[in-house]
Each structure stands twice: as structure tokens, then as C-alpha cells.
Amino acid sequence: MRPLLAALLALTAVACASPTPTPTPPHGLPPLALPADEAPHAFATEWWYFNVHLAGPEGERFTLHDVLFQVREPASGRALYVRQQGLTDAGAGTHVEGERLRSAEAVPAGPAGGFAFDVGGAFTGADGERFRLAGTVDGYAYDLALRSQAPALVHDADGLVDSGPAGITYYYSRPRLAVSGTLTPPGGAPVRVAGLGWYDKQWGDFVPVAVAWDWASVQLDDGTDLMVSVLWDGEWGLVDAYATLRRTGAQTLRLGRGDFTFAPVGADAWESPQTGTRYPTRWRFTAPAHGLDLTLTPVVVASETSSAVLGVAYWEAGVDVRDGRGERVGQGFVELSWPRGTAGR
């Protein structure tokens, strides 16, 4: 296995480093087309990204991060698929992670308006409406059906996001997925679970490692959906800050960097024993013109995912969302994709 792993690592490094970021503005790029763009593309980088909160009948609580990365070597067209999972068991106070990989001679065409991968279990989608996630991670097993309950959130109005030195990407979310299925803990019986999921899709000829980012998804109990993204360059200079907001029945809004704040609260932090990165663990989002003042706190603090294949690490935590009075008003996830060993800005 060691020669194979070395070859895949080399393929990944080439794919991440060789593309020239798409010029700005994005001349020549076709418009976003849904659901056709659910399918794989022959771009350098692509990912299908699911974050889920789950509850069982006896008060069991879990959060799941399940993502598939497609990394393409431009010269040959070969593709590497890396599936990463992070599962939090709130009752046990634990977070486990897993990583699997496959390679292919070419990017598969995929079903029209969908995708179908088997990388350690089923990872499928159809027409932007129906999805299935099945897999195992560190003794846990799950099989989940997900169905979209709301229109897609298209970011930056047209779904083309300028990420500065990283290049331009297509980006949209499906913010409300009704989830049901089973989750089996190590040595236990299957638990019927249900909950709410969030799905991100992003792709392009871009270089993600050229930027760091703070990101959050928020699903409020009143039906409000919110995506927040703050991008940083290698010197912690601000590249961009934007958010996408939609209230029930209302128009989707783009918030620019002057319309909101998203920052750590206090000195609460967790230092990874694996990477040495120190992650803030309480975050506050404010958008005064939209009546939003939200605090995001993790279900389990120790929620880092560290990739042996891609060489990156990030903090991906399911969070409770509370309003300015401290009342729980929703749920979400926070992702901090920072250079290893970072002790804060």
C-alpha cells in the first residue's frame, strides 16, 4: 500500500498546485445550472459536503460531517477521491474521524443531475432532491436518507465566488435537508435517527490551500438559513467576507463585509494535540439591519478533522445557536480551515 499511497499523494499535490486560478472577472465561465451541476465536473477541485444534526428516540444526539473531495490531475485527467467523516456523539462527549480514498483514470460522467460514488459506502444524490449517505467511522455505522426541503441557496447571486488568490469557484448550498435513517454505535444496536442536514457544493479550477477561512452554516428554528464565509490570505489579511441570508418566503440576500460581523467570543479555545492548532470555540454573528445577534457554541469542542492524504486539517464542529438572550434558536456548523499550528490571528 505504501507505493500506492505515495502515488496518490503526488497526484494530489500536482492537482492542488498546478492550476492557474481562474482570472478575475470570470470571463467565459458558463452560468450555474441546477440540477445538472450536481454531477461531477472536469475541473481541478470539487467537493460534495454534508453536515447533519441527528436525534434518537431516547434523547441520543449526534452530529455528522461527511464530505467527498474530487481532485483532478489536469494533464492526465486522473482523479483522486477522498471521503472524510467526522462524527460527534454528544452523549459520550466524543468525536471520531475517518478517511478513505479511491483513484480513477478519469472523472466519471455521473447520472444527469446527480452523483453516485462508493468510497467506503454509498454517497449518492439525485436531481438535487434525494441523497443517501452510508458508511462507517471508527466503530460507528450509519445509513441516512436526505431530502431537500427548500430551494438552493446560490452564493454571490450567480453562484460564482471570487476567492482572491485561490481563484474563482462555483458555489451553492442546499440548506434544509430532512434526514432519517439509522445510526449504530460501537457494539450497540441500530438507533432510529432523524434530523436536519446542510449540503454545500463547490468546484472550479482553484487552489483552496491559497486561503484560510472561517465558515458557518446556520439553520434557525423559524426557517431562516444563513451561510457565512470569511477568507484570509497567508498573512491573515482579509480577502473577502460575505454571507447569504434567506428568511422563510423571502428573497435571498447577499451580505457584504460591512453588513455583518463574525468573530470569536472571549478567550475560549481548544488546542489540537495532533496539529497544535488553537481554535476559538465560541463565535458571534451580528447583522443589525436584519435583526440578527447569534452566538454559536460547539456540541463537542474536540472536533478537528486531519487528513493524512490531502495534508490539511480543519475544525468542523456542530454548534448550538442562541440569540442575544441566550435562548437556543437553531443549529449549525462552524468550520475553521487554518494552517496547521496556528495559534490564532
Side-chain angles (χ1 to χ4, degrees):
M1 289 298 292
R2 294 182 66 183
L4 173 60
L5 180 57
L8 292 173
L9 285 169
L11 171 62
T12 305
V14 170
C16 286
S18 62
T20 300
T22 310
T24 304
H27 296 302
L29 289 176
L32 179 70
L34 296 176
D37 278 330
E38 297 280 351
H41 300 80
F43 283 81
T45 308
E46 187 162 8
W47 56 68
W48 297 258
Y49 205 99
F50 292 87
N51 283 334
V52 180
H53 284 252
L54 298 167
E58 303 299 326
E60 303 94 335
R61 187 180 183 192
F62 308 92
T63 68
L64 172 68
H65 164 63
D66 195 344
V67 57
L68 186 76
F69 295 97
Q70 173 182 282
V71 183
R72 177 175 167 266
E73 198 281 312
S76 69
R78 291 178 62 201
L80 173 70
Y81 293 93
V82 182
R83 185 177 185 180
Q84 294 177 350
Q85 302 150 293
L87 191 148
T88 292
D89 184 332
T94 57
H95 175 84
V96 296
E97 59 176 312
E99 184 172 53
R100 292 177 173 85
L101 57 89
R102 289 184 61 182
S103 62
E105 290 303 313
V107 173
F115 53 90
F117 299 101
D118 184 354
V119 183
F123 193 103
T124 66
D127 300 323
E129 296 290 333
R130 293 166 288 121
F131 306 91
R132 182 183 174 214
L133 302 175
T136 59
V137 53
D138 200 19
Y140 289 84
Y142 56 90
D143 193 339
L144 304 173
L146 305 89
R147 181 173 285 273
S148 183
Q149 304 293 297
L153 274 183
V154 177
H155 304 302
D156 260 11
D158 61 359
L160 284 164
V161 175
D162 186 350
S163 299
I168 289 173
T169 78
Y170 289 91
Y171 182 22
Y172 67 91
S173 303
R174 298 200 179 272
R176 289 204 172 243
L177 305 178
V179 186
S180 61
T182 60
L183 190 149
T184 307
V191 177
R192 297 295 305 179
V193 291
L196 188 62
W198 178 289
Y199 162 51
D200 267 8
K201 178 72 186 295
Q202 196 162 7
W203 72 97
D205 286 331
F206 71 117
V207 186
V209 294
V211 291
W213 61 82
D214 310 337
W215 174 93
S217 64
V218 173
Q219 300 153 314
L220 297 185
D221 296 341
D222 67 4
T224 298
D225 296 318
L226 171 70
M227 187 285 301
V228 186
S229 185
V230 182
L231 304 176
W232 310 91
D233 65 21
E235 302 299 322
W236 291 113
L238 183 64
V239 172
D240 196 12
Y242 65 98
T244 308
L245 172 67
R246 185 172 65 206
R247 298 187 185 276
T248 303
Q251 182 181 4
T252 299
L253 301 176
R254 183 194 191 277
L255 309 185
R257 64 180 68 181
D259 299 323
F260 69 93
T261 63
F262 182 57
V265 176
D268 293 357
W270 173 77
E271 183 172 324
S272 165
Q274 186 170 0
T275 66
T277 309
R278 185 174 172 83
Y279 300 102
T281 56
R282 293 181 68 234
W283 290 76
R284 185 182 180 195
F285 174 89
T286 65
H290 301 280
L292 293 174
D293 185 349
L294 306 171
T295 301
L296 286 61
T297 56
V299 176
V300 170
V301 171
S303 294
E304 186 183 58
T305 295
S306 181
S307 172
V309 177
L310 298 176
V312 298
Y314 52 93
W315 189 74
E316 187 87 28
V319 296
D320 288 320
V321 180
R322 289 181 166 79
D323 63 15
R325 297 169 296 180
E327 296 181 4
R328 189 183 187 278
V329 292
Q331 64 182 34
F333 270 77
V334 170
E335 178 181 285
L336 307 178
S337 182
W338 292 4
R340 287 172 178 258
T342 299
R345 294 190 295 274

